[in-house]
Every structure is written in structure tokens, then in C-alpha cells.
Amino acid sequence: MILRDALNRVINLLYEGQPTGHATSLKDYENLFPVIGVPAIAKSYQEDEVFAYTRVAGYNPVMIERVSSLGDRFPVTEEHYQAVMGTDDSLAAAGLEGRLYLADYKILSGVINGTYPHEQKYVYAPLALFALPKGSDATRLLRPVAIQCGQTPGPDYPIVTPNSGKYAWLFAKTVVQIADANIYEAVTHLARTHLLVGVFAIATARQLPLTHPLRILLRPHFDSTLAINNAAQQILIAPGGGVDRLLSPSIDNSRVLAVLGLQSYGFNSAILPRQFQQRGVDDPNLLPVYPYRDDALLVWDTIHQWVSDYLELYYPTDENIQKDIALQTWAAEISAYDGGRIRDFGEDGGIKTLNYLIDATTLIIFTASAQHAAVNFPQKDLMGYAAAIPLAGYLPASTLKREVTEQDYLNLLPPLDQAQRQYNLLSLLGSIYYNKLGEYEQGYFTDEKVKPLLQGFQSHLQQVENTIKQRNLHRPAYEYLLPSKIPQSINI
Ligand code: MN
């Protein structure tokens, strides 16, 4: 405690003399990088194409859902639509043809705005509509069509489009990024990787004997996870910590969001191919460019094959699964109210089939390795630059009711000292690579029968590496799911 206080005093001294207050020009954010160079995203983030691409290859690539129409909640008109997509296209046709995608930040409505350390911050619950142009071109990209910065249409939340004026549109897009960043930290990252895996780490240690084959398979994927989760709980998401300081909601509400994020995550519907189906984004003919989906499925299939090969050694029939008392106790603890409280886990309260155990184990390993890598490491390159991805907004969305000026846009963005701290924290969190997926300690698996299976897994991962590198020759590089950049476990 004394050491931490002393360290905090040193850190605060380092910030003395640094620029503070709101920017008067975007140059002020670039000037925060006199030595290491301005992050590349500074040059491109205002482009609509980049804003849309962030939905499919960014730090939170799990939000968009295919919709056939918008309903009363988000009354985008044909006129709005055609002004962006052209008069030879229509909103109705796009809906029928599977070309409309919605990012809905409803979970943030009613969230309490934070004020730490000293300024009023705002959180928003916007709706953002994206569409694909007509045709069958496999390189068609999503385009942003319209944004409404709250869940209820009306004068408080006008529909904003690329034709609403440069700063109004930039303001609305920034509101979406702020909402997205807040969902990202509390839900996608903390709740649905760190906290989810923490439950399995605890139940596995408590209920599976040291020599149990499932425990042996899972253990390397829990390395350091409880330690980093504990540190997050004590420091990062504590009152006065980084989340309180940099994100929009009050700290209590950020913590509530993390809880909601986990409680609302049904395990069985999170099985990866099912997740994409449920959001309507599984079909590459409808949504051709989705780098996260395409790479994640490659890694998923590879882990699935390895888990399946491994578990088949120990469970020749479903009956072996049903009679494994330790396994059944493990499953019960994961969903128990006085245990892990994971919703929608198991098959009618237990585990009945090998196929289910393979899917479930694949999801645990995938989440601890690939999914965490896909969402953790963009913190440095994509999220560090606060003008592009602010972690909090500093003006209400109702600013859009009047004409928005450049200074309004700058006042929405984090003050310069906050921007500096955002970079410092996120570049640290996004820089620590500890080990690699598929690389176990020498001699870790003592069962001779596992060795050829492990070799198969490792060479399969190498093929995935090559495939993704090949893909990156034909798209803006998406490198977060390269197996060589995926650690075995969550440790940062
Ligand atoms: Mn992390």
C-alpha cells in the first residue's frame, strides 16, 4: 500500500507540466507524441471507410447484427439512405437483400455518467446503421449510413448522416466510438474474456484432480489469469483507478456493466459459429469482408480439432463422460448460483456427450487465447490515440440539436492530460506477449499418445499463420489472430 502510494506520487509528478485542458486543434493530440511518433490511426480515423472497417476488424469486432428493417426506434428514411448509397438503391431493398447492419449500444442506456477526476463525462447509447452496396463484388465494404445518438427518436436525438455537416457527422461517429469503447472494456474484454475464463480456472482447480485429462488440457490456458483479474479488481477497476479516470460511467456503473456483460452471456450460444449465425453475419456471400470472423473461425477449427483428438483418447463413448463424477461436479459448479453462475452451460444441467464437451472445451480455450488476443492487443495500436477512440465523451449528445462547430467536436474529445494517460495505460495493456498458443512446456503432456496429436495441432496452427499472412496481402492487415501473436492464456 505504501509502495503504491509512493509510486502514484511519482507518476503524478511525471504528468506535471504536461498539457491539460481541451484541445484547440487536433494538432494538440499529435503534439503529445514528440518522440515515439504519432500512431498511424491519427491519419485515417476520420474516413468513413475506416469507421466502418473498425466494426469488422477493430478492437470490438462483435457488435454488428444483420437486420431486415429498423422499426420505429431508429426512423431512417429512404431519403437519408439514398443520399449515402445512391438513388438506384433503397433502404427497403437493402433490408430484403441482407445488406443492412446495425450496431446497437442499448445496454448503455441509463448508465450513470462519471465525473472522475474533475470533469463531467458522458456515456451514450447510440444506434448506428451500416449498409453494403448492391452487387456481388467480394471486396464490398460496409458504409456508415446514419447514426442516432440515443435509443429514442425525436428532437433530442436527431438522425445524423454524412450529409449533416462535417462536424455533426464527426461528432456522431465519435459518440459511437465512445459507446463502443465503453462496451468493449467492460463487456467484450473484461467480462467476456477475463471474468468468463476466471470462472473455469477456479472450477477446474477445485473440482478436477491433478491427473484428470481435462485439467491437464486446460491448465496452461489459465496461467496468470486469476492474478491479472485480481489486479484489475484491486487497481484498474477500483475507485480512482484507470477505468474510473478514463472511461465514461461512474466507477460503480462500470463495474455493474461488467457484471451485466457476464450475466447476459449465454455460454452455449457463445459457441463461435453459433455466435456469428445469431448475429446474421456468418454468410460470406452476404457480408464478404469480415476479417475477425474469417480468422477467428480458422483458429476455432484448429483448436476444435486438437481438443477433439485429445478428448477422444480418454472418452471413447458418451457413457464415459456421463460416468465421470469429477467432470459432472465440475460442470455443476460452473453453473451453480453459489459457484460460477455461468448462464446456459451444459446439456440439461450436466455433460452428456463427447461432442458437447469438445465444443465447450474449445470455447474455453478459444476465449482464453484467441478471443482475448483479438480484443486485448488492439488497445495499443487502435485505441491508444484518444482523438480517434476516446474512452469518454465530454459533451452531451444533445449538442447535435444545434449546429456543431469544430470546437464542439474538440470539446467532446478527452482533455489532453486524459489523452496522455489513455495512451500510457492502453499501450501498456496492449504490449505484453507472454507465450504462444500451442507451445507447452517441454514434456508437459506425459501421455505418449498425445505427442503426435500435439504435433498435428502445432502444424495446423502454422498453416493458419500462413493463410492469415496470405489474406493480409489482399486487405488492410489484420494481425491480431495470427497464431504467433496469440498467447496461451490471459495474463494482461
Ligand atoms: Mn486483457
Side-chain angles (χ1 to χ4, degrees):
M1 226 28 202
I2 293 170
L3 187 66
R4 194 186 304 157
D5 290 348
L7 203 61
N8 280 335
R9 274 202 297 280
V10 172
I11 291 168
N12 285 329
L13 280 173
L14 289 173
Y15 282 102
E16 263 179 27
Q18 294 291 320
T20 58
H22 282 281
T24 52
S25 143
L26 281 175
K27 207 86 199 114
D28 294 342
Y29 291 100
E30 294 179 17
N31 291 341
L32 296 174
F33 296 84
V35 179
I36 56 173
V38 179
I41 193 171
K43 288 202 169 47
S44 62
Y45 77 90
Q46 294 193 22
E47 291 165 25
D48 283 358
E49 206 172 273
V50 172
F51 178 72
Y53 199 67
T54 301
R55 316 278 79 85
V56 291
Y59 54 90
N60 189 31
V62 298
M63 288 303 292
I64 52 162
E65 284 176 60
R66 178 157 53 85
V67 292
S68 51
S69 63
L70 294 168
D72 300 339
R73 200 160 55 108
F74 189 16
V76 177
T77 62
E78 286 292 353
E79 205 181 346
H80 289 134
Y81 182 85
Q82 290 183 336
V84 179
M85 301 302 289
T87 46
D88 60 339
D89 192 2
S90 79
L91 183 65
L96 284 173
E97 292 163 16
R99 294 190 281 114
L100 291 185
Y101 294 85
L102 183 67
D104 184 353
Y105 298 91
K106 192 174 170 184
I107 190 176
L108 292 172
S109 57
V111 165
I112 295 160
N113 295 320
T115 53
Y116 187 82
H118 40 62
E119 225 180 304
Q120 182 66 55
K121 296 181 284 189
Y122 298 88
V123 64
Y124 321 95
L127 292 148
L129 177 68
F130 299 84
L132 279 174
K134 290 197 293 189
S136 55
D137 179 357
T139 61
R140 285 178 303 154
L141 296 172
L142 289 170
R143 286 190 204 160
V145 173
I147 292 167
Q148 180 181 292
C149 291
Q151 294 283 314
T152 332
D156 280 347
Y157 301 120
I159 288 176
V160 184
T161 76
N163 304 304
S164 303
K166 179 181 173 187
Y167 289 107
W169 180 235
L170 200 49
F171 192 106
K173 285 195 292 181
T174 307
V175 161
V176 171
Q177 299 291 37
I178 293 164
D180 200 53
N182 278 276
I183 292 269
Y184 158 82
E185 286 292 4
V187 177
T188 311
H189 179 200
L190 178 61
R192 295 181 178 178
T193 67
H194 284 252
L195 302 182
L196 182 79
V197 173
V199 168
F200 291 94
I202 292 169
T204 302
R206 280 169 46 85
Q207 300 301 346
L208 298 181
L210 285 170
T211 53
H212 193 284
L214 183 59
R215 177 168 175 150
I216 292 170
L217 178 63
L218 287 174
R219 201 204 54 77
H221 303 288
F222 300 145
D223 202 5
S224 304
T225 304
L226 295 178
I228 190 69
N229 287 1
N230 187 50
Q233 149 82 10
Q234 286 188 341
I235 303 168
L236 203 58
I237 56 169
V243 167
D244 195 6
R245 175 182 288 274
L246 296 173
L247 282 104
S248 279
S250 71
I251 186 62
D252 288 340
N253 218 142
S254 279
R255 293 165 73 108
V256 166
L257 274 176
V259 173
L260 287 176
L262 190 53
Q263 284 178 347
S264 60
Y265 199 52
F267 184 89
N268 289 340
S269 32
I271 302 288
L272 195 68
R274 239 176 264 165
Q275 255 191 71
F276 289 124
Q277 280 161 21
Q278 277 161 0
R279 290 195 288 117
V281 295
D282 55 312
D283 184 350
N285 294 315
L286 288 180
L287 181 59
V289 179
Y290 195 171
Y292 163 76
R293 171 196 64 198
D294 297 343
D295 293 3
L297 285 172
L298 272 184
V299 178
W300 172 272
D301 288 344
T302 307
I303 296 172
H304 196 272
Q305 184 64 54
W306 154 240
V307 168
S308 158
D309 291 346
Y310 177 96
L311 290 176
E312 277 167 11
L313 289 179
Y314 304 100
Y315 296 105
T317 69
D318 288 343
E319 210 188 340
N320 299 101
I321 302 257
Q322 293 154 19
K323 288 191 171 157
D324 183 338
I325 306 285
L327 183 72
Q328 299 301 335
T329 315
W330 176 79
E333 176 162 315
I334 285 160
S335 42
Y337 184 77
D338 59 353
R341 297 191 194 177
I342 297 296
R343 205 165 61 73
D344 190 24
F345 178 81
E347 305 165 285
D348 302 324
I351 297 183
K352 304 207 160 40
T353 62
L354 177 60
N355 279 341
Y356 182 81
L357 185 62
I358 292 168
D359 277 350
T361 305
T362 303
L363 181 56
I364 299 164
I365 295 177
F366 177 84
T367 307
S369 58
Q371 180 64 14
H372 180 259
V375 302
N376 188 77
F377 295 109
Q379 288 184 106
K380 178 166 187 262
D381 306 327
L382 301 182
M383 300 183 75
Y385 194 64
I389 313 290
L391 293 184
Y394 293 79
L395 279 184
S398 58
T399 308
L400 284 163
K401 291 200 287 190
R402 58 173 172 80
E403 193 172 336
V404 175
T405 64
E406 181 177 10
Q407 191 58 50
D408 290 327
Y409 165 63
L410 293 168
N411 290 345
L412 171 68
L413 300 180
L416 295 166
D417 54 327
Q418 293 284 85
Q420 177 85 64
R421 285 174 189 269
Q422 177 173 334
Y423 184 79
N424 293 351
L425 178 63
L426 297 190
S427 63
L428 171 73
L429 296 176
S431 297
I432 295 167
Y433 292 89
Y434 176 63
N435 53 14
K436 279 200 303 194
L437 180 60
E439 287 192 357
Y440 300 86
E441 281 167 40
Q442 195 77 38
Y444 176 72
F445 293 101
T446 51
D447 187 339
E448 285 298 321
K449 296 193 290 299
V450 175
K451 284 181 185 155
L453 307 182
L454 178 58
Q455 276 166 8
F457 179 41
Q458 289 166 338
S459 76
H460 204 163
L461 285 169
Q462 188 54 52
Q463 288 164 23
V464 171
E465 181 93 8
N466 297 340
T467 306
I468 293 176
K469 282 185 174 158
Q470 207 60 40
R471 287 175 176 176
N472 281 339
L473 300 174
H474 310 285
R475 67 184 186 192
Y478 180 71
E479 298 184 331
Y480 299 112
L481 287 168
L482 280 169
S484 60
K485 292 193 172 182
I486 300 175
Q488 287 270 57
S489 68
I490 298 173
N491 54 46
I492 184 66

